[in-house]
Amino acid sequence: MPPTQMLIFGNPKSGTPVMLAAPSSAMDLPLKVLVSQDEAGKVWLSYNTPEYLGERHDIPTTLLSNLAGIRAIAQAAAA
């Protein structure tokens, strides 16, 4: 298996309201970013966007901002 790391992070103040509104979202919370390296040595970041999670779990759009921090974290990890 190539080098791979899973970064897991969460904030109860953000995640709890999401899980209360859409209980199935607990399957994807806390949020995660997968960092992996391919055979050519290129590093990839993979994560589920707030929009995808919203559609997957029928999360109210008013709560998607609670998950939006994943973009900044993924960008910081890529830097």
Side-chain angles (χ1 to χ4, degrees), residues 22-59:
S24 68
S25 65
M27 294 291 299
D28 290 311
L29 297 176
L31 296 170
K32 302 161 199 69
V33 175
L34 178 67
V35 183
S36 59
Q37 186 177 33
D38 65 20
E39 292 178 3
K42 187 170 182 176
V43 175
W44 296 87
L45 295 173
S46 304
Y47 64 95
N48 293 325
T49 66
E51 295 77 18
Y52 169 76
L53 294 173
E55 288 179 27
R56 175 176 160 101
H57 301 290
D58 198 25
I59 298 169

Side-chain angles (χ1 to χ4, degrees), residues 2 4 6 10-11 14 20 35 37-38 42 46-47 50 59 64 70 72 75 79:
T4 305
M6 177 71 75
N11 179 334
S14 296
L20 288 171
V35 183
Q37 186 177 33
D38 65 20
K42 187 170 182 176
S46 304
Y47 64 95
I59 298 169
L64 292 182
I70 192 166
Q75 289 174 351

Side-chain angles (χ1 to χ4, degrees), residues 4-22:
T4 305
Q5 288 192 326
M6 177 71 75
L7 306 175
I8 301 172
F9 50 94
N11 179 334
K13 288 183 180 181
S14 296
T16 300
V18 173
M19 288 187 279
L20 288 171

